[in-house]
DNA sequence: AAGCTAGTTGAATCCCTCG
DNA sequence: TCGAGGGATTCAACTAGCT
């Protein structure tokens, strides 16, 4: 399938398959960047459940020293392990110095920085996507931002031909989303610019294909991996359609 | 000293002393919120960088540099433990449901969320302070934001008489700062509004006193603790001066 | 328009170890 | 005792958009 797609579109492909399996089939030094929006919580508890269990757990703590780690993190722990696995495999097929960008929400951000570093990437910072339009909550701060945890595969020379990039991006959520977590295209066009010009970008969780589309629009080549058959097909159609419109 | 100050200013005081010691002298249920900006100790990766005193670390600011401040030179392990300790002690003197807000930078954010939860607070989210200007980094995302890790002492009823608050605050750094890490006053005026009207706010790391000043300006009472003699005095002068100007 | 940036980089230097 | 090598540390140059 990927050969066929590659033949038609030399600069991009969407591979249908599981990220962990597909990643191991690439050769080392294949990619210049990893830019992706992984599933945020494979266990998927609600915030209320998390708060309740946390509350119960720590109300019994009394005067003694705090426990070493949050006990309601069983789901989070397995998420972290899983993330470390694919981050490791992704790093292994990247060139030295390649940047990595991972979208994440506030709750998984600490787990994401752990996983990134466990996988051998150097964590270099956190950029912010200000969504602007989240639902207000009385008596609370709005959760109106998502985060881009980013780093590099070893040293990242300041001499790379890449300009300075902003640290906060403000874009509203797109209308008519194909995928539930689809990011604004302009946001992705901004973020992929962390890659060296003309580089080959990997997105192991392609979803609706925004990263791949943005990469091609900005002059990069890109490989997306998507496990859900329907999204792999939908994203291919979307990218072809939007590239045809733009051309 | 605090008695004297309290007598003159019924709604605020700055106590000169170490946070861990002073916190243990308050009675339970004294405070309605903790809002603070602790030392980040986010200096470099090497031991020596962490051991640097703040005046050396920020020597590039020249003669106009503010006096050094205490507590910015811990490694990440001891910083996390230390933060969990004062967060725990602070929670013990707060009312049930009291909110906590802790400023932190990107590097220490995972450690801060750990410490907050170890201390028994429920972590409820992360708000963003967009500083707007920061050092640009060629080929990198700017580190242009600091974070406000926030939570509550147990359940936090939605019925509290507090409106919805933004999740991203954009304010430039103030001019003519007393303290190296002084926050914009308007930012602090926005953040203290997480407290119930008329409540008593605690800031264990008062620094230049922005939290206390903002709290009083917004109709709260406030207690600040500051370990550095010079800043305890400077902040008292500043708050008196600015309150007199405003009145 | 000038001045700022809770900094970062890489090269030079220093120091200690080992053959 | 010397020199090579590696790790630790210091230092000055630097960056570009925002206020």
């Amino acid at each position: 399938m990927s050969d066929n797609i590659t033949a038609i579109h030399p600069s991009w492909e969407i591979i249908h398959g599981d990220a962990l399996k597909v990643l191991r089939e690439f050769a080392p030094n294949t990619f210049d960047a990893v830019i992706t929006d992984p599933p945020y919580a494979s266990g998927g508890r609600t915030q209320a459940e998390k708060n309740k269990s946390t509350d119960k757990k720590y109300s019994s703590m009394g005067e003694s020293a705090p426990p070493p780690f949050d006990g309601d993190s069983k789901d989070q722990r397995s998420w972290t392990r899983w993330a470390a696995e694919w981050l490791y495999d992704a790093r292994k097929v990247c060139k030295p110095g390649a940047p990595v960008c991972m979208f994440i929400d506030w709750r998984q951000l600490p787990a994401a920085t752990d996983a990134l570093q466990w996988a051998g990437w150097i964590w270099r910072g956190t950029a912010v996507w200000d969504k602007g339009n989240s639902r207000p909550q009385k008596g609370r701060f709005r959760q109106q931002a998502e985060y881009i945890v980013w780093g590099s595969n070893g040293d990242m020379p300041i001499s790379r031909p890449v300009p300075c990039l902003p640290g906060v991006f403000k874009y509203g959520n797109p209308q008519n989303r194909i995928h539930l977590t689809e990011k604004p295209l302009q946001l992705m066009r901004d973020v992929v610019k962390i890659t060296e010009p003309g580089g080959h970008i990997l997105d192991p969780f392609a979803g609706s294909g925004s990263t791949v589309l943005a990469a091609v629009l900005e002059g990069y080549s890109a490989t997306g991996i998507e496990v859900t058959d329907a999204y792999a097909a939908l994203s291919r159609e979307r990218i072809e359609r939007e590239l045809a419109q733009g051309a």
Side-chain angles (χ1 to χ4, degrees), chain A residues 103-167:
Chain A
F103 281 83
I104 204 69
D105 70 357
W106 66 273
R107 189 168 273 281
Q108 292 291 76
L109 196 147
T113 60
D114 282 349
L116 192 85
Q117 292 175 93
W118 292 358
W121 298 89
I122 295 177
W123 179 32
R124 292 190 175 269
T126 303
V128 175
W129 171 35
D130 180 359
K131 293 186 276 191
N133 61 350
S134 71
R135 188 171 54 176
Q137 270 193 297
K138 191 169 173 298
R140 287 151 168 73
F141 298 103
R142 291 157 74 127
Q143 298 300 356
Q144 99 185 55
E146 288 187 25
Y147 303 92
I148 304 161
V149 172
W150 71 277
S152 65
N153 183 17
D155 287 339
M156 189 187 202
I158 205 83
S159 56
R160 291 192 320 143
V162 172
C164 168
L165 300 170

